[in-house]
Amino acid sequence: MSRRAGDTLACMAVCPPGVEPLLDAELAAMGIARRNVVRGGVEVNLRPRQLYAANLWLRTATRVLVRVAMFDVHDFATLERNAATVNWRQWVPAGAQVTFRVSSHRSRLDHTRAIAERLAAAAGAPLATGSADWADGGSSYDDEGAPPAGPPAARFVARIDRNRLTLSADSSGEPLYQRGWRRQVAKAPLRPTLAAAMLAAVGWPAQGQPAQGQPAQGQPAQGQPAQGQPAQGGSSSGRLMLVDPFCGSGTVAIEAALAASGRPPGTGATPGSTRSFAFETWADFAPGTWASVRGEATQRLADAAGNDLTVMASDRDAGAIAATTANAARAAVGHLVAATHSAVSAIEPPPGPPPGPNDTAWVVTNPPWGGRIASGGDLRDLYATFGNVMRARFTGWRVAMLVADRHLAAHSGLGLHEALRTTAGGQPVQLLVTGPLTASS
Ligand SMILES: C[S@@+](CC[C@H](N)C(=O)[O-])C[C@H]1O[C@@H](n2cnc3c(N)ncnc32)[C@H](O)[C@@H]1O
């Protein structure tokens, strides 16, 4: 049932619904072929080196699963018998706990907790305390709820459909949106993976992705992006400018700086701010391969060093600016993110001429949307102010805003169209974007 070392692994890169085409484009840009987009992720065959690289570099993925086994489970007896054939020692380090995200459809066995207990018994490892929530996960691979807290556990996903169980090991461990560098959060923080999806949807450059103006095969060359597809910006030879005037804890700005400077999303400035991955604990983990994959990051950093990059983040809340500054420093992009305490009504674009055709200039932001933040005022006025400031001072820029309420966004008066539709904290959200702004936009 288990694979041999060096084999290609049947994997599933997991993401929130709606983000699949962006994740697929990320995998394509990494040179990974034979991908199959499914709801909630991309199925892909990876060699171990590619699996390590996927965990290190993917910005929009929640986790990367590796298929361990598939077997029939007509009853608990067949479950126990078949689970006993799994080479658990490959995936579960000595002394580790285990946790299972179990779902069951159209099948006789549907008591997810009891299934998780049987699988844990077969693995010869204790079920992690508090793993019930994760074990009772729904049909989606992407868990909006966090996996259990406590000591690290080897995580598995067990999906039963028509009495057949597919068991996958989670190669990421902590979800990939836990970047390591984001320790301080302001109000209503975005998941970094969602911020990365917003940036990918507008075509903000990232390591391994096609340069602006050079669409990946199958991407639209001009005009509006297809929904969920990377948009086209300017040229990689021009200035790269990004402003987030509602920056909160700085998630969008920091993700933008990491991507455009060729840094992996979860690698911080200090060992404590750099995340680790579950595959590092697997029995056939190849430290030399992993060191080589990480070594490539140095080259990517050098390749991106010539970028003319400006990232500005502002917020009217001083605590948010303190969080942004601390997070950016931990992410090793403190020198790339200019964080300013300012209301949106007072913001200005970076000094210099307005963006030209070779420049990439985006305002990418996540304004308050009511439900998540007590606004203390009328949000319609805030959106109107935002729109006025954009038109008056940001000529030539484009705007992308993540909103939960399209009608509220319309108060900005900006000509908006949808570039991405996904969920945030279980709530449907849309990324609305403009073309280059003019005074009459
Ligand atoms: C939804 S949060 C942004 C969260 C952010 N994307 C993150 O990941 O942390 C909206 C932010 O807008 C800020 N805000 C609200 N009204 C503002 C205004 N008039 N000017 C500037 N910032 C404002 C709030 O302080 C809050 O930090």
Side-chain angles (χ1 to χ4, degrees):
M1 284 290 183
S2 68
R3 65 190 177 80
R4 295 186 308 278
D7 281 351
T8 298
L9 310 167
C11 296
M12 164 98 171
V14 176
C15 65
V19 176
E20 298 92 342
L22 300 168
L23 175 56
D24 187 49
E26 277 199 274
L27 287 159
M30 291 174 70
I32 294 169
R34 289 194 298 282
R35 306 172 316 277
N36 181 33
V37 177
V38 297
R39 184 171 160 75
V42 182
E43 294 172 342
V44 64
N45 291 326
L46 300 175
R47 294 189 298 278
R49 180 183 186 88
Q50 292 173 315
L51 176 70
Y52 300 173
N55 273 291
L56 182 64
W57 287 106
L58 288 178
R59 299 178 194 275
T60 63
T62 309
R63 60 184 72 254
V64 184
L65 303 174
V66 176
R67 194 193 302 155
V68 170
M70 291 176 78
F71 49 77
D72 291 336
V73 285
H74 296 290
D75 48 32
F76 281 118
T78 49
L79 170 63
E80 286 167 9
R81 199 166 51 244
N82 287 323
T85 68
V86 172
N87 178 16
W88 293 98
R89 274 182 303 175
Q90 153 62 17
W91 317 98
V92 184
Q97 299 184 321
V98 287
T99 184
F100 295 89
R101 181 177 175 83
V102 180
S103 61
S104 177
H105 306 282
R106 299 173 287 192
S107 303
R108 277 188 233 147
L109 289 189
D110 60 0
H111 188 329
T112 54
R113 177 80 199 182
I115 293 164
E117 285 169 359
R118 298 305 202 285
L119 290 168
L127 202 53
T129 320
S131 64
D133 289 345
W134 216 54
D136 288 341
S139 59
S140 167
Y141 283 104
D142 183 58
D143 48 308
E144 286 282 1
R155 297 188 170 108
F156 295 88
V157 173
R159 285 166 71 89
I160 304 177
D161 191 28
R162 294 199 165 101
N163 302 311
R164 193 155 173 81
L165 184 147
T166 304
L167 182 68
S168 303
D170 182 351
S171 71
S172 308
E174 295 299 319
L176 294 174
Y177 54 74
Q178 292 190 4
R179 303 292 208 216
W181 47 260
R182 199 174 71 166
R183 303 265 177 76
Q184 274 162 272
V185 291
K187 290 174 237 166
L190 281 182
R191 277 199 179 164
T193 41
L194 177 52
M198 293 162 65
L199 293 162
V202 303
W204 183 254
Q207 167 279 328
Q209 291 185 352
Q212 301 290 300
Q214 297 172 30
Q217 206 174 9
Q219 306 294 345
Q222 291 292 330
Q224 313 296 18
Q227 206 219 50
Q229 302 283 339
Q232 302 306 305
S235 156
S236 60
S237 59
R239 292 174 294 166
L240 289 171
M241 300 184 285
L242 184 131
V243 171
D244 181 356
F246 301 102
C247 72
S249 35
T251 320
V252 172
I254 294 168
E255 286 290 325
L258 286 166
S261 65
R263 289 175 166 83
T267 300
T270 57
S273 59
T274 299
R275 59 156 297 148
S276 58
F277 303 96
F279 66 75
E280 296 173 69
T281 70
W282 290 354
D284 67 353
F285 171 58
T289 305
W290 179 220
S292 159
V293 167
R294 276 183 307 169
E296 285 173 2
T298 313
Q299 186 56 47
R300 303 262 154 80
L301 202 58
D303 290 347
N307 282 348
D308 182 355
L309 177 65
T310 304
V311 178
M312 293 172 60
S314 56
D315 199 288
R316 70 166 180 195
D317 178 30
I321 296 308
T324 296
T325 304
N327 288 333
R330 259 191 300 272
V333 292
H335 60 300
L336 297 175
V337 176
T340 315
H341 182 204
S342 168
V344 69
S345 53
I347 64 161
E348 297 283 348
N358 286 337
D359 297 325
T360 299
W362 277 98
V363 175
V364 182
T365 195
N366 160 217
W369 60 44
R372 301 177 80 206
I373 298 185
S375 67
D378 190 332
L379 282 179
R380 290 172 296 188
D381 292 343
L382 179 63
Y383 279 74
T385 301
F386 174 58
N388 288 336
V389 168
M390 292 295 104
R391 275 186 298 274
R393 301 178 207 153
F394 283 77
T395 300
W397 289 65
R398 299 173 197 220
V399 177
M401 55 175 155
L402 189 78
V403 298
D405 181 348
R406 217 179 161 127
H407 300 294
L408 186 56
H411 287 273
S412 69
L414 299 169
L416 297 161
H417 68 269
E418 186 177 302
L420 176 67
R421 184 184 285 243
T422 183
T423 58
Q427 182 176 17
V429 293
Q430 301 163 53
L431 184 71
L432 302 177
V433 302
T434 71
L437 295 181
T438 62
S440 59
S441 287

